[in-house]
Amino acid sequence: MGWPRGLYSAALYALAPLIWRRIRREHALTYPRRTRRELRLGEIPRTPAGEPMLWLHCASVGEVLAARPLIEALLERYPGYRLTLTTMTATGAERAQALAAVRGDDRLVHRFIPLDFPAAAARFVERLRPELALFFETELWPNLLAACRRQGVPVTVVNGRLSPRAFRGYRRLRPLMGEALACVDWLAAKSSDDAQRFGELGMAEARMTVVGSLKFDIAIDDKAFEVSEGLRTRLGERPVWVAGSTHEGEEALLLSAHARLRERCPDALLVLVPRHPQRFDAVAALCAQAGMPAARRSRDEWPTADTAVYLGDTMGELLALYGAGDLAFVGGSLVPVGGHNLLEPAALGVPVLTGPELANFAEVAETLREADALVEVADAEALAAALAALFADPAERRRLGEAGRAVVAANRGALERTLEGLARLLPPK
């Protein structure tokens, strides 16, 4: 073990009490204490001999959703393999388990990724015995990568991205990141800028390929369309805008914008979808405090003609809810989070609005901007004005929706290029 990884591991051990406290909070209602320890220490069932296994790691909900086309393609192209999908968060686990249930395919299983302690990482890889390890986007865990290298498991990073902010943080740890990236056999970068940042951290140029963003290969299943159509029919002709993946501090701004909008469009409805399920109750309370009590989808409550807000407090329905709107605002962009996936509403042909905080989706935003398929606002007041103008202009809404859908269609292909690269590392079975 090199000195950077040695120092990193020592720091992890020092922080172990705080890490375990957070895990207890996250899993207390779902898993008993002993199971929680097993989940995070790599104590998983051993993969039987002769049962080929792939391993894909996604951090949380957003990454699982973005990786769905890749997951389905891997299961289709490699029918002799099982696929273990790991996540860091409980909400990511719920989405992964829901995906497995929808597919009805026992070849797709979920596990929690172990904490990156050296022994836990080694135990997990030794028991899982994958033929190939795929890490999605920016998930670089030094001890897990090293365990794969020691045990002869090829490692790839797919849809590799490094935002400028993440790069600045990783650059302070360049020796550690260089050691970790030396374990990566192939990195499929989302853009040339991302490839350059990985290169500056120590990733060899010869082992990188710019393939584009898998997010453009977004998969929308028939069920999502059916739910969208049913919602839109029940909502009728009233103006509907959807605010998806919203964060703390952002909902208050959106409710303020909605109140201003309703001064001009009294029957306008906001479908509000917070990013994190643990905040559903707090957001419902915030709506009530703003004088706009929300009908809650999780309780089968339905917005009446007087209801101003419909709270999408369920998991896995964001695409369907976007599809029911006339306009879509993508959250995490009026607060310094960095934005979320602008392509989800665009793929549905729903006009996309965003705030100024777009660090996580800068390239996607620029692509939409170049096609004049993105409405950007600086604050809640500007958002209210933009919403009112678009509700008054059906032709512009149609143009924006068609332009966004065309951008998604024109930029597909990263999935096929990623699969071609993986095929060079993965023996057929």
Side-chain angles (χ1 to χ4, degrees):
M1 182 186 296
W3 69 263
R5 190 158 59 87
L7 288 176
Y8 162 77
S9 299
L12 276 185
Y13 284 126
L15 293 171
L18 296 177
I19 295 170
W20 282 115
R21 191 177 308 158
R22 178 171 180 176
I23 288 172
R24 282 197 299 271
R25 284 201 305 268
E26 184 174 5
H27 295 308
L29 299 178
T30 310
Y31 303 101
R33 181 175 180 177
R34 176 173 176 79
T35 304
R36 290 199 300 271
R37 291 185 62 84
E38 291 172 352
L39 289 172
R40 296 306 198 180
L41 293 178
E43 296 179 2
I44 62 170
R46 194 178 298 276
T47 299
E51 186 176 281
M53 180 69 72
L54 304 176
W55 169 29
L56 171 63
H57 175 62
C58 298
S60 190
V61 175
E63 291 76 19
V64 173
L65 291 172
R68 181 172 178 176
L70 176 61
I71 292 166
E72 295 183 338
L74 288 171
L75 290 169
E76 179 180 343
R77 293 203 179 193
Y78 298 95
Y81 287 82
R82 299 184 74 203
L83 173 61
T84 292
L85 176 59
T86 57
T87 62
M88 176 62 71
T89 67
T91 53
E94 291 171 4
R95 185 87 295 269
Q97 290 159 356
L99 176 57
V102 167
R103 286 187 55 84
D105 190 340
D106 61 5
R107 292 191 300 132
L108 176 62
V109 296
H110 172 266
R111 305 282 183 205
F112 281 103
I113 196 170
L115 297 172
D116 203 31
F117 300 124
R123 183 184 303 116
F124 181 87
V125 175
E126 190 274 329
R127 292 189 177 188
L128 187 63
R129 303 200 319 196
E131 303 278 341
L132 178 68
L134 302 91
F135 291 81
F136 200 80
E137 293 194 343
T138 320
E139 288 293 291
L140 302 174
W141 295 102
N143 285 320
L144 276 165
L145 292 172
C148 288
R149 172 55 58 92
R150 282 196 310 273
Q151 297 182 40
V153 177
V155 173
T156 66
V157 175
V158 293
N159 210 50
R161 74 177 182 90
L162 272 178
S163 69
R165 183 169 66 176
F167 173 67
R168 287 192 295 271
Y170 279 130
R171 190 165 53 184
R172 299 189 188 99
L173 304 171
R174 191 185 184 285
L176 176 63
M177 289 299 101
E179 188 177 337
L181 288 167
C183 299
V184 176
D185 295 277
W186 182 59
L187 190 149
K190 186 170 62 66
S191 71
S192 56
D193 288 341
D194 292 294
Q196 180 180 347
R197 294 179 194 124
F198 278 111
E200 290 184 30
L201 292 180
M203 185 69 199
E205 184 178 350
R207 291 185 279 117
M208 280 193 292
T209 308
V210 177
V211 302
S213 175
L214 286 171
K215 289 181 170 65
F216 285 103
D217 290 275
I218 186 169
I220 304 172
D221 57 34
D222 292 339
K223 182 180 178 182
F225 281 118
E226 291 171 9
V227 173
S228 294
E229 291 174 1
L231 284 170
R232 184 73 254 191
T233 299
R234 287 196 66 179
L235 291 173
E237 298 299 318
R238 65 188 300 187
V240 177
W241 67 290
V242 182
S245 294
T246 63
H247 286 257
E248 186 173 3
E250 191 167 41
E251 288 93 2
L253 299 173
L254 295 169
L255 290 169
S256 172
H258 190 51
R260 287 194 176 114
L261 172 66
R262 281 173 64 88
E263 292 173 2
R264 299 172 65 174
C265 304
D267 59 341
L269 177 70
L270 164 61
V271 180
L272 184 58
V273 191
R275 177 76 171 179
H276 299 117
Q278 61 268 32
R279 299 189 55 248
F280 287 159
D281 290 341
V283 174
L286 187 65
C287 293
Q289 292 167 13
M292 293 181 280
R296 299 185 64 165
R297 184 163 177 78
S298 66
R299 299 177 181 176
D300 292 326
E301 297 170 352
W302 191 253
T304 65
D306 297 326
T307 303
V309 180
Y310 185 36
L311 186 61
D313 54 348
T314 55
M315 292 294 294
E317 290 197 307
L318 180 57
L319 273 174
L321 294 172
Y322 274 143
D326 300 298
L327 301 168
F329 174 86
V330 180
S333 60
L334 282 178
V335 290
V337 169
H340 289 295
N341 194 348
L342 302 167
L343 298 173
E344 290 174 333
L348 293 162
V350 179
V352 184
L353 297 93
T354 180
E357 300 285 348
L358 290 169
N360 293 339
F361 285 86
E363 293 88 355
V364 168
E366 181 59 28
T367 303
L368 289 168
R369 196 180 291 127
E370 289 173 354
D372 197 12
L374 184 65
V375 177
E376 298 174 82
V377 298
D379 51 30
E381 185 174 353
L383 175 60
L387 290 167
L390 287 168
F391 279 128
D393 191 345
E396 178 63 4
R397 290 204 307 274
R398 282 193 298 274
R399 188 200 65 77
L400 281 166
E402 290 167 1
R405 186 150 43 197
V407 165
V408 174
N411 286 276
R412 290 184 184 275
L415 176 60
E416 190 59 39
R417 289 187 286 272
T418 298
L419 291 168
E420 288 173 1
L422 295 177
R424 294 193 291 269
L425 295 169
L426 192 61
K429 281 191 174 65

